Amino acid sequence: DAGITQSPRHKVTETGTPVTLRCHQTENHRYMYWYRQDPGHGLRLIHYSYGVKDTDKGEVSDGYSVSRSKTEDFLLTLESATSSQTSVYFCAIMEPSGNTIYFGEGSWLTVV
Amino acid sequence: GESVGLHLPTLSVQEGDNSIINCAYSNSASDYFIWYKQESGKGPQFIIDIRSNMDKRQGQRVTVLLNKTVKHLSLQIAATQPGDSAVYFCAENRGSASKIIFGSGTRLSIRP
């Protein structure tokens, strides 16, 4: 158990509405990640954080923003959700050695 | 390109037999490799990892083999059980927090 909690686990929202997904960790790890997983594309990095208020973009960051005001929480926001953002979103943390990342259980988001 | 879900290669194995799942990686500079198991509706779960200066590592019922000459990684599961049914994918860590590359995955199904 990597001590990662994602919320909400499932959400249906309408196009154009803002959505925030939360990732909470209990292990005080420095690095946290947001990935999305889609058929045909596998796991793709959206944004990651290397400390409080320190974030950087991944390969599919357009349409997403993140914030990390506390070590334990990493928020992913879709400012104006689109149908192309229907996906499964996974939060992950990197263990201190810097070698392996561990995933949360996922947040299923449907944009209608 | 990567593909998951309906387009995943599938390995069908008789219960009790050994399973061998293969993965090719692309970057000879990768220094760490990880295998994950993902069950339906869940997040990827860490199975085993191996550093690039090793060629074999064993865990409980699993063995990872690394062949750097041909950039090939394999996961062997001994005495496959119904609970081993899942998608398995490898990942390579290229030495940077943002450079973890995931493979496309293989779906393992177990025949009774």
Side-chain angles (χ1 to χ4, degrees):
Chain A
D1 183 4
I4 304 170
T5 304
Q6 293 185 227
S7 60
R9 294 291 315 280
H10 298 271
K11 186 173 181 65
V12 179
T13 193
E14 292 185 350
T15 299
T17 60
V19 176
T20 295
L21 306 180
R22 178 180 183 243
C23 178
H24 178 80
Q25 60 147 330
T26 60
E27 304 296 326
N28 208 36
H29 293 304
R30 180 182 173 196
Y31 283 90
M32 298 183 75
Y33 304 80
W34 277 107
Y35 288 87
R36 60 179 288 175
Q37 187 176 42
D38 307 284
H41 295 281
L43 281 160
R44 293 182 291 174
L45 181 64
I46 304 171
H47 281 278
Y48 70 101
S49 170
Y50 47 96
V52 173
K53 297 184 180 175
D54 291 324
T55 65
D56 206 349
K57 296 179 180 180
E59 62 177 307
V60 290
S61 59
D62 287 349
Y64 301 94
S65 62
V66 290
S67 65
R68 192 162 177 206
S69 59
K70 299 185 289 184
T71 299
E72 58 266 35
D73 290 326
F74 191 31
L75 305 181
L76 177 70
T77 297
L78 291 65
E79 300 291 347
S80 178
T82 67
S83 58
S84 66
Q85 293 176 311
T86 292
S87 187
V88 184
Y89 292 86
F90 288 103
C91 175
I93 57 94
M94 178 168 278
E95 45 85 28
S97 74
N99 294 323
T100 303
I101 65 172
Y102 295 88
F103 290 88
E105 286 300 298
S107 294
W108 273 252
L109 177 67
T110 302
V111 184
V112 298
Chain B
E2 298 180 57
S3 64
V4 293
L6 293 176
H7 305 290
L8 280 178
T10 299
L11 175 66
S12 179
V13 175
Q14 189 79 33
E15 183 178 349
D17 287 352
N18 296 336
S19 301
I20 300 176
I21 301 169
N22 298 304
C23 178
Y25 63 94
S26 56
N27 193 326
S28 58
S30 294
D31 57 7
Y32 216 84
F33 302 89
I34 312 150
W35 278 100
Y36 291 92
K37 172 186 180 183
Q38 188 174 20
E39 296 176 276
S40 181
K42 296 188 176 182
Q45 179 185 3
F46 170 85
I47 303 172
I48 192 168
D49 53 18
I50 187 168
R51 192 175 292 280
S52 60
N53 62 357
M54 303 170 66
D55 53 19
K56 180 179 181 179
R57 190 174 185 204
Q58 288 185 288
Q60 187 178 16
R61 266 200 322 118
V62 295
T63 300
V64 56
L65 299 178
L66 176 62
N67 185 330
K68 294 180 286 294
T69 302
V70 296
K71 298 181 191 170
H72 183 267
L73 196 66
S74 68
L75 177 71
Q76 300 179 4
I77 304 173
T80 309
Q81 303 169 359
D84 295 327
S85 290
V87 172
Y88 292 82
F89 56 91
C90 65
E92 52 181 303
N93 185 332
R94 297 181 178 179
S96 165
S98 64
K99 294 297 183 185
I100 298 177
I101 308 300
F102 294 92
S104 57
T106 297
R107 187 181 304 280
L108 178 64
S109 66
I110 314 301
R111 302 192 304 274

